[in-house]
Amino acid sequence: MGDIKKVVLAYSGGLDTSIIIPWLKENYDNCEVIAVSGDVGQDTELEGLEEKAKKTGASKLYIEDLNKEFIEEYVFPTIKADAVYESKYLLGTSFARPIIAKRIVEIALAEGADAICHGCTGKGNDQVRFELAIKAFAPDMKIIAPWREWDLKSRDEEIAYAEAHNIPLKITRETNYSKDKNIWHISHEGLDLEDPANEPMYNKEGFLELGVSPEQAPDKPTYVTISFEKGNPVAIDGEKMDSVELVKKLNKLGGENGIGIVDLVENRLVGMKSRGVYETPGGTILYHAHNKLEEITLDRDTYHFKQQVGLRFAELVYFGQWYTPLRKALSAFVDSTQETVTGDVKLKLYKGNIIDAAVTSPYSLYDPDIATFDEDEVYDQKDSAGFINLFGLPIKVQAKKGLIKE
């Protein structure tokens, strides 16, 4: 299949990439395969990867620690944009792919590789996210996508291939959910979840990995205060924290209280609808807290326009267009809105719910002297009559012309 002597593989050690190494060697003239794993918080999933990769035919394995860069340069900018895809999805897989792909390109160029390979299916979004990032940093690099080439048609056939090649797997046909895990979230797809009529088995042992279902959460609420500086979270309950430590802490608090479990049928970029269950405990808390702080620190027009920007920003992230001029321009706009998004947000976590408790900021635009229902000396209520007359003038003119119909 062409003159390919050295391939760099995006390697997770999961089902797809486990069988891709021997498949590449079988189909590309015993080419050298260099595996690369981007560590974005998979934790135990990285254990034993080097031994496994080499046993299945890789010449070496890079494990790159990307956690801090991932959180600060991809996750936090997305939170500041209040970017949520289709009102529910906090983009856990979406913004992890560009940073991993970028590092894979850097290694591929340093190694003098002839091609980069990924294990994304031809039905999914990740193939687009990986390949757009590769094109951004190595536009002439050949890309190998086995799912678009090989004869295997299902995950059952992949398992059979692995068994035939003595490749050890951590899954069975009965537990064969398609999962993606990082420091921000974990996704679950496949098996019974493919039918939206099936209720997810949240209370089944081993299904949820980052927390418990709301029913299993404590009967007593947990209070947490998150401090922000210019839109970035910097402390929990008054304790300054590194970005990675902060997200892990909120994952623990959120997971224990059943926060951040989403069942979503989403519209994939490739055109189909797909059902998945996402666990994003800490992220759900951060999005909520950040938005709450913006309620009192942003003026109305900026706040409303930023909501529109958030929708477009979420699409760009979901579609794999992180390294585009538009995403960078939107981030520049968002950053300009965050100059005053500084303060503390106190939340109550209770059985899957996030309940607002308090919000304070030195830049708060909320003035109790103006907003009060009691007697005041700073707001003349008679002024509103003239305002309404002018604001309603177009309606009045249309009504007199008989142009307004029910």
Side-chain angles (χ1 to χ4, degrees), residues 298-308 333:
L298 296 186
D299 65 278
R300 180 191 64 200
D301 289 347
T302 299
Y303 186 72
H304 287 180
F305 186 73
K306 191 167 173 293
Q307 289 177 322
Q308 299 177 49
F333 163 76

Side-chain angles (χ1 to χ4, degrees), residues 316-328:
L316 291 173
V317 176
Y318 188 84
F319 296 163
Q321 295 173 297
W322 186 268
Y323 303 115
T324 61
L326 178 56
R327 200 283 306 165
K328 293 178 183 177

Side-chain angles (χ1 to χ4, degrees), residues 128-144:
V128 181
R129 296 165 184 155
F130 268 111
E131 294 186 29
L132 291 191
I134 294 169
K135 292 179 187 298
F137 297 103
D140 297 323
M141 180 70 69
K142 178 176 175 58
I143 298 172
I144 299 174

Side-chain angles (χ1 to χ4, degrees), residues 79-80 82 90 184 224-229 231-236 246 250 259 281-297 303 338 341-349 354-361:
I79 296 174
K80 288 191 290 187
D82 296 302
L90 301 187
W184 186 247
V224 60
T225 298
I226 304 169
S227 301
F228 291 83
E229 292 180 3
N232 290 314
V234 295
I236 297 176
L246 185 143
L250 290 178
I259 303 295
T284 302
I285 295 171
L286 280 176
Y287 264 89
H288 187 108
H290 177 264
N291 187 262
K292 188 65 182 177
L293 185 57
E294 285 190 327
E295 285 182 8
I296 67 169
T297 56
Y303 186 72
Q338 300 298 291
V341 185
T342 295
D344 299 326
V345 181
K346 185 177 182 180
L347 302 171
K348 180 165 65 173
L349 313 179
I354 302 177
I355 303 166
D356 298 325
V359 56
T360 59
S361 170

Side-chain angles (χ1 to χ4, degrees), residues 30-135:
N30 199 34
C31 63
E32 180 183 359
V33 179
I34 298 172
V36 179
S37 293
D39 178 5
V40 285
Q42 300 95 311
D43 293 329
T44 57
E45 292 183 7
L46 297 171
E47 294 176 0
L49 274 195
E50 183 173 11
E51 180 183 4
K52 181 177 180 179
K54 289 183 176 180
K55 277 188 174 180
T56 52
S59 62
K60 66 176 77 170
L61 170 69
Y62 289 86
I63 297 180
E64 302 294 293
D65 184 356
L66 305 174
N67 282 274
K68 188 175 179 65
E69 182 183 355
F70 173 50
I71 292 297
E72 295 182 359
E73 298 186 23
Y74 294 78
V75 175
F76 283 178
T78 306
I79 296 174
K80 288 191 290 187
D82 296 302
V84 181
Y85 186 70
E86 297 190 340
S87 302
K88 289 185 177 181
Y89 177 40
L90 301 187
L91 300 164
T93 298
S94 306
F95 48 31
R97 296 315 188 217
I99 184 175
I100 294 172
K102 179 173 178 284
R103 186 64 186 124
I104 288 171
V105 169
E106 291 168 350
I107 291 173
L109 294 176
E111 287 279 358
D114 303 302
I116 291 174
C117 178
H118 64 73
C120 309
T121 74
K123 288 185 176 182
N125 300 306
D126 279 346
Q127 59 181 333
V128 181
R129 296 165 184 155
F130 268 111
E131 294 186 29
L132 291 191
I134 294 169
K135 292 179 187 298

Side-chain angles (χ1 to χ4, degrees), residues 122-300:
K123 288 185 176 182
N125 300 306
D126 279 346
Q127 59 181 333
V128 181
R129 296 165 184 155
F130 268 111
E131 294 186 29
L132 291 191
I134 294 169
K135 292 179 187 298
F137 297 103
D140 297 323
M141 180 70 69
K142 178 176 175 58
I143 298 172
I144 299 174
W147 269 104
R148 302 201 294 253
E149 296 183 19
W150 62 22
D151 295 327
L152 303 176
K153 302 300 183 184
S154 68
R155 289 175 69 82
D156 275 350
E157 291 185 11
E158 286 185 282
I159 292 174
Y161 183 97
E163 292 170 345
H165 289 74
N166 297 314
I167 299 171
L169 298 174
K170 294 181 180 180
I171 61 173
T172 67
R173 286 173 172 81
E174 289 71 34
T175 61
N176 187 22
Y177 285 108
S178 176
K179 298 188 179 188
D180 177 73
K181 181 182 180 182
N182 58 45
I183 190 174
W184 186 247
H185 90 152
I186 185 168
S187 63
H188 311 261
E189 295 179 316
L191 297 181
D192 54 300
L193 297 179
E194 291 189 343
D195 186 350
N198 293 329
E199 179 181 2
M201 297 181 289
Y202 296 134
N203 293 325
K204 180 181 178 181
E205 184 177 355
F207 182 77
L208 295 177
E209 296 189 25
L210 298 184
V212 299
S213 68
E215 297 95 327
Q216 295 175 318
D219 294 330
K220 181 180 179 181
T222 298
Y223 284 89
V224 60
T225 298
I226 304 169
S227 301
F228 291 83
E229 292 180 3
K230 295 187 176 182
N232 290 314
V234 295
I236 297 176
D237 295 330
E239 180 184 354
K240 290 276 187 176
M241 290 186 179
D242 170 83
S243 58
V244 173
E245 181 186 6
L246 185 143
V247 171
K248 288 182 176 179
K249 175 70 173 179
L250 290 178
N251 275 339
K252 182 176 185 299
L253 292 175
E256 290 170 348
N257 286 278
I259 303 295
I261 302 169
V262 168
D263 181 358
L264 172 64
V265 177
E266 70 198 58
N267 288 292
R268 283 185 177 175
L269 172 59
V270 295
M272 70 184 69
K273 289 185 181 291
S274 174
R275 196 263 190 108
V277 169
Y278 297 100
E279 299 178 63
T280 321
T284 302
I285 295 171
L286 280 176
Y287 264 89
H288 187 108
H290 177 264
N291 187 262
K292 188 65 182 177
L293 185 57
E294 285 190 327
E295 285 182 8
I296 67 169
T297 56
L298 296 186
D299 65 278
R300 180 191 64 200

Side-chain angles (χ1 to χ4, degrees), residues 386-405:
F387 166 74
I388 295 171
N389 284 334
L390 292 177
F391 190 67
L393 184 58
I395 294 177
K396 184 176 180 179
V397 171
Q398 292 177 69
K400 284 188 172 183
K401 297 289 186 179
L403 299 176
I404 294 181
K405 309 293 183 183

